[in-house]
Amino acid sequence: MSKQSTAYSPQKVDVLVVGGGNAALCAAITARQEGASVLVLESSPKHFRGGNSRHTRNIRYIHPAANSFLTGPYTEEECYQDLLGVTKGNTVESMARIVIRGSNNVGDWMMEQGVHFQPAMRGTLHLSRTNGFFLGGGKALINAYYARAEKLGVKIEYDATVDDLEIENDEFRAAYFQQGDKYYRVEAKAVVLASGGYQANLEWLKRSWGPTAANFLIRGTPYDKGLMLKVMMDHGAKTLGDPTQGHCVAIDGRAPKFDGGICTRLDCVPFGIAVNKECKRFYNEGEEIWPKRYAIWGRLVAGQPDQIAYIIIDSKSIDLFMPSVFPPFVSDTIEGLASQFDIDPDALKATVEEFNAHCKPTKDFDSGKPDGNATEGLEPPKTNWARPINQPPYYGYMLRPGITFSYLSLALTERCFVKKQDDTPFKNILAAGELTSGNVLGQGYMAGFGMTIGTVFGRIAGKEAACLK
Ligand SMILES: Cc1cc2nc3c(=O)[nH]c(=O)nc-3n(C[C@H](O)[C@H](O)[C@H](O)COP(=O)(O)OP(=O)(O)OC[C@H]3O[C@@H](n4cnc5c(N)ncnc54)[C@H](O)[C@@H]3O)c2cc1C
């Protein structure tokens, strides 16, 4: 391969890690602890380091008993059944079991690296038996891992985007990376690819989702563009997972195009109605308690004209959900709200009046659980929390689809080597994290499992890569 590149100094390291999020750092720390010299190449500038992992709050892992931040035991079998439930069986059992078993008490290893967990929480985020919540969130976790890696002697380069790999006879030789106006070539005995999904690559998203993807908001880092996935596909790597699958939720339409993070979620859908830009309702807003339905609304909104929807609630409901990061739109009339959204005031008024006319509350309203107050004779129905929207002021929010991460992944062996299309592995190319999530998540998602996949595969890949030194 001929490229106009400068040799990076030191020209050769034992283990090269591409990426700078959770999976990359777990791999780098482990490889270094196994005695390898390690170089991490992170696309982002230092202040943006940590990819989507910066936005996380928790990790799911199995453990035999309660401790100071987990409220009870969580077994391999229960976790596997939970995974089967969310994926509808669309997982590779051997890989899923490796992740689940490898997660056993992984919080202890994380704490040894400087991560802290916070006491169990209550409320809609109540997952405290199965998931450990990071004190200070993902940003603190990432800072702890970087501090640990640096202390161990891992070399880290920021603003370093790897855009090509030199692979001969199924063996990795060198990586090429851009840093400022320099283009470097660096050799290593093994490479761990941990550069996230391709969800920040709108052109790629459009290929699987169609032109509508232009209106998606990307909840996390703008740096996960799938360059390594593409390079490995070009080199004959086997992929797993459906390119139209990914984690996609409905978020505040005013969220930034990239990196809005967790605070842009809106929890008010069950307490009002959701309409599209034609002022038509399109789905049962009261199907289930919100955390259980949260993940389907991204796709629902993606299916609406211009990929936008509007939530309309009244003053009875404004205090029933987690406050939004952006203030709601507010008006004393439904028509006034519609004008602010630039949708047809008469049409919105008619939809609200039709909805109100079909609300026949029979039980006490209960925002805490499905209360059985359903519309009668309305299509689509609202099967819980259906009560008239009639008490001004009226409030509204815009909803847009927010992509969390893509599922199309590199297929892995059980030791986290990247597979070729004939199922045999590349000799010294390993991968971990979001780039490999399709090995376990064929569809669906369970909270905290992205970090499990990255932590377990990252540690395996780091250890295996160090063996090749
Ligand atoms: C808002 C939000 C909240 C989330 N909350 C949770 C949660 O609470 N729990 C959970 O388990 N999961 C959560 N997730 C999912 C979770 O973030 C991911 O599953 C996990 O962080 C993936 O880790 P990773 O290391 O594979 O990827 P990332 O953390 O995204 O890291 C990839 C890294 O690779 C770098 N990179 C990309 N391309 C290149 C390249 N060509 N060269 C060099 N570097 C490159 C990027 O800069 C980035 O640092 C959340 C995601 C989002 C967006």
Side-chain angles (χ1 to χ4, degrees):
M1 186 176 295
S2 64
K3 293 226 178 210
Q4 286 297 324
S5 58
T6 310
Y8 178 78
S9 176
Q11 207 190 341
K12 199 155 187 172
V13 291
D14 293 330
V15 175
L16 175 68
V17 178
V18 181
N22 174 61
L25 293 167
C26 289
I29 290 169
T30 307
R32 184 74 195 110
Q33 284 169 337
E34 295 289 321
S37 61
V38 181
L39 171 64
V40 169
L41 297 177
E42 158 66 306
S43 241
S44 77
K46 187 172 180 183
H47 65 273
F48 250 124
R49 68 185 182 184
N52 276 0
S53 306
R54 281 175 306 140
H55 290 296
T56 62
R57 293 165 302 154
N58 60 74
I59 181 169
R60 180 179 294 253
Y61 66 91
I62 61 169
H63 47 276
N67 60 24
S68 57
F69 51 87
L70 293 163
T71 57
Y74 190 42
T75 64
E76 175 183 335
E77 212 40 47
E78 186 184 356
C79 186
Y80 184 61
Q81 290 307 321
D82 287 345
L83 181 68
L84 286 183
V86 295
T87 59
K88 305 211 180 338
N90 195 350
T91 183
V92 180
E93 178 168 358
S94 57
M95 298 306 284
R97 291 218 182 252
I98 283 171
V99 171
I100 294 170
R101 277 180 204 145
S103 82
N104 189 26
N105 269 335
V106 78
D108 292 356
W109 179 84
M110 295 168 69
M111 286 190 284
E112 283 165 23
Q113 315 314 319
V115 174
H116 294 277
F117 288 93
Q118 67 179 43
M121 301 210 294
R122 294 172 190 279
T124 57
L125 298 174
H126 186 73
L127 291 163
S128 296
R129 183 173 64 83
T130 54
N131 293 34
F133 282 74
F134 317 132
L135 187 67
K139 182 85 178 169
L141 169 136
I142 283 295
N143 287 343
Y145 279 159
Y146 271 100
R148 179 75 175 142
E150 278 168 358
K151 200 166 173 202
L152 287 168
V154 171
K155 189 156 171 28
I156 297 157
E157 293 285 357
Y158 297 101
D159 295 299
T161 300
V162 179
D163 68 0
D164 207 358
L165 303 176
E166 205 174 296
I167 300 171
E168 279 170 30
N169 301 324
D170 306 334
E171 188 169 357
F172 165 81
R173 294 285 162 85
Y176 291 86
F177 68 99
Q178 187 86 40
Q179 192 178 42
D181 55 6
K182 290 256 167 59
Y183 192 58
Y184 292 104
R185 177 181 185 274
V186 58
E187 294 180 5
K189 292 178 188 153
V191 65
V192 178
L193 306 176
S195 47
Y198 63 91
Q199 64 281 346
N201 186 334
L202 287 167
E203 289 311 310
W204 199 337
L205 292 184
K206 279 187 210 162
R207 289 209 289 278
S208 0
W209 294 71
T212 59
N215 285 329
F216 290 4
L217 303 177
I218 317 304
R219 301 177 70 212
T221 178
Y223 296 96
D224 287 1
K225 292 180 185 289
L227 284 174
M228 292 302 97
L229 179 59
K230 168 85 172 58
V231 167
M232 289 309 296
M233 285 165 75
D234 291 346
H235 279 283
K238 180 174 177 173
T239 56
L240 272 182
D242 178 347
T244 67
Q245 284 294 337
H247 191 257
C248 179
V249 299
I251 58 174
D252 196 310
R254 294 163 292 180
K257 187 74 181 171
F258 291 99
D259 238 354
I262 191 72
C263 63
T264 60
R265 69 182 269 177
L266 288 172
D267 291 354
C268 52
V269 171
F271 305 122
I273 57 168
V275 299
N276 59 23
K277 65 179 284 203
E278 286 149 7
C279 300
K280 295 202 170 79
R281 290 178 58 247
F282 51 90
Y283 197 79
N284 176 3
E285 303 88 348
E287 192 174 58
E288 243 303 354
I289 204 94
W290 183 239
K292 291 194 183 169
R293 286 290 104 199
Y294 174 54
I296 72 163
W297 277 81
R299 277 166 185 279
L300 288 171
V301 176
Q304 302 309 309
D306 289 347
Q307 296 69 56
I308 194 158
Y310 305 90
I311 302 289
I312 313 295
I313 58 175
D314 70 4
S315 60
K316 297 193 291 297
S317 300
I318 190 67
D319 293 324
L320 296 179
F321 52 92
M322 198 149 60
S324 52
V325 69
F326 300 105
F329 291 81
V330 58
S331 173
D332 284 333
T333 62
I334 293 291
E335 295 94 316
L337 213 47
S339 304
Q340 294 180 54
F341 290 144
D342 209 13
I343 55 179
D344 184 343
D346 294 334
L348 184 62
K349 185 159 188 262
T351 296
V352 171
E353 283 175 355
E354 186 193 22
F355 171 77
N356 289 351
H358 288 81
C359 289
K360 309 280 180 206
T362 51
K363 307 180 175 85
D364 287 342
F365 178 86
D366 186 344
S367 64
K369 61 177 193 335
D371 70 355
N373 284 311
T375 52
E376 272 179 33
L378 187 66
E379 209 36 63
K382 180 173 178 184
T383 48
N384 289 290
W385 309 290
R387 58 178 178 174
I389 298 169
N390 58 7
Q391 197 171 296
Y394 300 100
Y395 297 93
Y397 292 96
M398 286 181 279
L399 287 178
R400 285 268 188 211
I403 281 256
T404 319
F405 57 87
S406 52
Y407 284 179
L408 181 67
S409 296
L410 296 175
L412 292 183
T413 69
E414 296 185 4
R415 289 163 55 205
C416 293
F417 284 79
V418 176
K419 281 183 181 175
K420 294 178 290 172
Q421 270 155 17
D422 64 3
D423 275 329
T424 61
F426 287 91
K427 289 178 188 153
N428 57 352
I429 306 177
L430 301 99
E434 248 169 42
L435 181 55
T436 63
S437 55
N439 288 272
V440 183
L441 291 167
Q443 66 182 84
Y445 184 66
M446 63 182 183
F449 211 57
M451 292 297 276
T452 323
I453 294 170
T455 306
V456 176
F457 283 166
R459 290 181 67 202
I460 295 174
K463 193 168 179 178
E464 292 286 344
C467 291
L468 300 170
K469 71 179 186 291

